[in-house]
Amino acid sequence: MNDLLPGELGGEMAPVETWQHVERTTRELFSRFGYGEIRTPTLEDTALFVRSVGEETDIVGKEMYTFDDKAGRSLSLRPEGTAPAARAYIEHAVSNQEPLTRWYYIGPMFRYERMKTGRYRQFFQIGAEAYGSKEPAQDVEVMDMVVQLLEALGLQDISLNINSLGDEACRPAYQQKLVEHLTAHRAELCEDCQRRLERNPLRVLDCKNEKCQAIARAAPDILQFLCEPCKAHFDEVKRKLDALGVRYVINPQMVRGLDYYTRTTFEFIAAHPALGTASTVGGGGRYDKLVKSLGGPDVPAVGFGLGLDRLTLLLKEGGQQYGAPPDVFIAVADEGSADEAFALASRLRREGLKVEFDTRGGSLRSQMKRADKTRARFTLVLGQAERESGKAQLKPMAGGEPIPVALGEVAQAVRAAAAPR
């Protein structure tokens, strides 16, 4: 678990300004798609995740932070965002109020998992859920939303992998063939996968053990077992992705790590050395039976989650800095000018400027060093001469001629200097 600090203080983590940039971009973009923000509690009833994510998943079996509260109730820190959103959708009877619901969320999740680059035990996730549409167009819309977010952030070399897991009509036939294949290689499977083989064989395809991955690659192709409705759905997903010009790779081995998926699943995978082996930046899929399985109405749904830690790490590697520098740094030339300089800083902040002011005072030289460090666009030195004349100079820190300015018109002068010519 990590602290997020401003500027260059964050160490291996991207500075908080980078996180804020991603969050702002997400909120602005997702609102264009008609998605509203939802905020759910960090704690939920443990049973919610057991019923939705799946008892045999690594998340529930190994990674959740679970404890009993003072009333003896089993609670868990949320390991993912879809189940809490579905619970809120049911609890507030949202389906009775609108036929199509689109939500997004940004917040911390918790899993006790092995540490990797960009993977932490408290991690932050951007996610979105769309309830009420069973159409392939809804699958494609959420994928397009991620594609546009990555483009808006300037992130490249991230590929979209897609697959279909079928549904309750066609998956059993595939699962039978998969069990036959895995059983023939049972002795070569890791201990966890030998257990998964008995209780949830699809999870073997999600194992990160190299031997298990080799066996999984030789397994039957799930796409060959799709029933006609599932095949038609997947074909339409591909057709609409093509129509939008979204590039994708068909990956029959991709099943995702959660039990609630049906039909479409997808992942966004980055080809960047900064992430090491943890190259998946996000993914999702369709989960048409989840809401009903949790006691709600029979409402189809599709969604995704993106790792905010990994996105910000990729942006940090790109070397770009975020967060606007101060508009002006006010320096004090003499002790008698400190109060007026302090008051000027306060007034300019009220007028909408971002103002830096060193409350410690100190020599003018030390204040100017501080101004350099803040990357302020202008400095304004206030001393006795400026107080008596009511005029000062805005010095451009990037070079150029000082700008004479009346002390009562500093904000207007700063904005005028920033306006395009």
Side-chain angles (χ1 to χ4, degrees):
M1 301 184 185
N2 297 288
D3 298 311
L4 302 177
L5 305 176
E8 300 176 358
L9 303 173
E12 70 176 62
M13 303 298 292
V16 75
E17 291 87 355
T18 304
W19 292 69
Q20 292 166 341
H21 170 70
V22 176
E23 291 164 6
R24 281 193 300 269
T25 305
T26 296
R27 289 189 167 93
E28 195 279 327
L29 177 65
F30 286 12
S31 68
R32 288 191 229 157
F33 280 76
Y35 285 67
E37 184 176 5
I38 179 176
R39 301 185 185 187
T40 62
T42 305
L43 285 171
E44 296 276 359
D45 191 311
T46 300
L48 172 67
F49 301 112
V50 175
R51 291 170 63 189
S52 59
V53 176
E55 189 171 3
E56 290 305 308
T57 61
D58 283 350
I59 292 174
V60 171
K62 297 179 178 181
E63 297 172 357
M64 284 206 307
Y65 284 90
T66 299
F67 60 92
D68 290 344
D69 70 1
K70 292 183 178 181
R73 296 168 295 197
S74 180
L75 302 177
S76 293
L77 293 170
R78 60 187 183 196
E80 56 94 43
T82 293
R87 189 268 310 147
Y89 180 83
I90 296 166
E91 186 173 316
H92 298 281
V94 177
S95 64
N96 296 333
Q97 303 171 54
E98 55 184 17
L100 180 60
T101 301
R102 295 185 176 105
W103 286 343
Y104 76 89
Y105 51 84
I106 303 174
M109 312 291 165
F110 302 84
R111 297 182 193 173
Y112 191 89
E113 59 181 352
R114 284 176 293 181
M115 298 290 289
K116 291 184 179 179
T117 303
R119 177 176 290 174
Y120 308 104
R121 289 170 180 173
Q122 175 179 291
F123 61 99
F124 290 79
Q125 199 171 75
I126 297 169
E129 321 289 342
Y131 303 95
S133 173
K134 66 181 188 305
E135 303 303 322
Q138 190 59 66
D139 305 26
V140 174
E141 180 188 77
V142 298
M143 286 186 264
D144 183 41
M145 195 156 69
V146 178
V147 169
Q148 292 198 32
L149 176 61
L150 297 175
E151 289 174 352
L153 294 173
L155 293 174
Q156 301 175 348
D157 298 325
I158 298 179
S159 64
L160 168 61
N161 283 221
I162 65 172
N163 191 24
S164 176
L165 299 182
D167 60 16
E168 65 276 7
C170 55
R171 195 184 300 175
Y174 167 72
Q175 189 157 308
Q176 180 180 345
K177 290 295 185 182
L178 177 63
V179 169
E180 291 175 3
H181 170 75
L182 296 176
T183 301
H185 298 275
R186 182 186 182 93
E188 303 166 58
L189 296 174
C190 70
E191 186 176 331
D192 284 340
C193 282
Q194 290 183 15
R195 177 176 51 82
R196 292 171 181 142
L197 176 57
E198 300 297 330
R199 304 183 68 173
N200 196 339
L202 276 177
R203 295 279 69 78
V204 176
L205 301 182
D206 201 44
C207 182
K208 301 302 184 286
N209 180 285
E210 290 185 5
K211 288 186 177 180
C212 296
Q213 287 181 341
I215 296 169
R217 284 192 291 271
D221 185 340
I222 193 170
L223 297 178
Q224 302 302 315
F225 291 80
L226 296 182
C227 60
E228 282 306 312
C230 286
K231 184 177 184 300
H233 186 100
F234 193 53
D235 286 345
E236 186 66 3
V237 166
K238 292 183 288 183
R239 190 188 72 79
K240 289 186 179 298
L241 285 170
D242 291 336
L244 295 183
V246 175
R247 295 182 179 180
Y248 59 87
V249 176
I250 299 172
N251 181 358
Q253 302 300 323
M254 185 186 63
V255 298
R256 304 288 293 149
L258 310 170
D259 279 357
Y260 49 60
Y261 288 118
T262 56
R263 291 191 173 175
T264 308
T265 58
F266 57 89
E267 287 186 350
F268 287 86
I269 300 174
H272 197 292
L275 295 182
T277 58
S279 57
T280 301
V281 297
R286 178 163 285 281
Y287 42 93
D288 288 343
K289 301 302 178 183
L290 176 61
V291 175
K292 185 177 181 181
S293 73
L294 294 176
D298 191 3
V299 174
V302 60
F304 65 83
L306 296 172
L308 187 48
D309 304 75
R310 296 181 189 178
L311 293 179
T312 55
L313 181 59
L314 290 174
L315 291 174
K316 180 186 177 185
E317 288 295 312
Q320 191 165 346
Q321 292 183 324
Y322 301 94
D327 294 302
V328 60
F329 184 101
I330 296 178
V332 182
D334 54 68
E335 188 174 341
S337 301
D339 285 349
E340 191 161 335
F342 192 35
L344 176 61
S346 178
R347 175 168 61 81
L348 293 179
R349 289 162 179 160
R350 281 196 176 93
E351 294 177 4
L353 294 191
K354 186 175 181 181
V355 180
E356 272 283 342
F357 178 80
D358 194 335
T359 56
R360 302 170 301 172
S363 69
L364 186 58
R365 181 179 179 183
S366 67
Q367 291 178 73
M368 297 307 290
K369 285 184 177 179
R370 173 72 181 173
D372 282 334
K373 188 172 183 180
T374 65
R375 298 184 294 119
R377 293 172 50 226
F378 297 97
T379 58
L380 184 151
V381 178
L382 189 67
Q384 182 178 353
E386 288 77 20
R387 286 190 290 116
E388 291 177 351
S389 67
K391 298 179 181 179
Q393 289 190 329
L394 286 171
K395 179 184 177 183
M397 295 299 285
E401 292 298 316
I403 302 171
V405 60
L407 291 178
E409 299 176 356
V410 174
Q412 298 93 314
V414 169
R415 292 193 182 98
R421 296 181 183 274

